[in-house]
Amino acid sequence: MDLERTLVLVKPDGVQRGLVGTIIGKFEATGMKIVGMKLMHVSDTLAQRHYAEHEGKPFYAGLVDYITSAPVVALCLEGPDAIAITRKLMGATNPSDAPPGTIRGDFGVEISRNLVHGSANEGDAAREVGLFFSDEELIDYPRSNDVWIASDEG
């Protein structure tokens, strides 16, 4: 079974509201493995690179200002279908559209304060993980439950 890696950011509102542990716990409960994690301030340069696809749009400056306003927790998660599972668990971008049980559905307040970011696809995941983590910061390690999560046996 192929494993994917994806970037998740617990955004400034998630950190400021004290939801980091709860949010990380929801991702870990799926069986995904944390292979990288750090608390950090996002620099203007990193924010601009991260949101480059939105440059020139009316909301671009607000995105950069917000993500640099307070610390974030950056995670690199690994697992089968990690990108799709992460996005499903986050819920719709607008918390009012996110179903109960999702991070945004349970804890989100408004679209501009929606707690988490997750890579949209494999290309974005590779680019974003590379922006936030060096190869040396990502750790490959076995877990005893990996055989129960990512087994090819039925």
Side-chain angles (χ1 to χ4, degrees), residues 72-94:
V72 303
V73 172
L75 301 163
C76 180
L77 300 177
E78 180 181 87
D81 299 318
I83 297 165
I85 290 168
T86 295
R87 295 196 59 81
K88 184 176 182 179
L89 184 57
M90 290 187 321
T93 302
N94 187 340

Side-chain angles (χ1 to χ4, degrees), residues 21-93:
T22 301
I23 291 169
I24 292 173
K26 288 179 94 55
F27 288 116
E28 279 192 302
T30 68
M32 284 187 284
K33 178 170 43 174
I34 297 171
V35 296
M37 181 169 66
K38 59 185 167 182
L39 176 70
M40 63 184 291
H41 277 285
V42 176
S43 69
D44 285 337
T45 301
L46 177 55
Q48 291 163 4
R49 291 176 66 199
H50 179 65
Y51 289 124
E53 69 188 72
H54 300 300
E55 190 171 2
K57 296 177 183 172
F59 55 87
Y60 173 75
L63 290 174
V64 171
D65 288 345
Y66 173 61
I67 203 73
T68 60
S69 67
V72 303
V73 172
L75 301 163
C76 180
L77 300 177
E78 180 181 87
D81 299 318
I83 297 165
I85 290 168
T86 295
R87 295 196 59 81
K88 184 176 182 179
L89 184 57
M90 290 187 321
T93 302

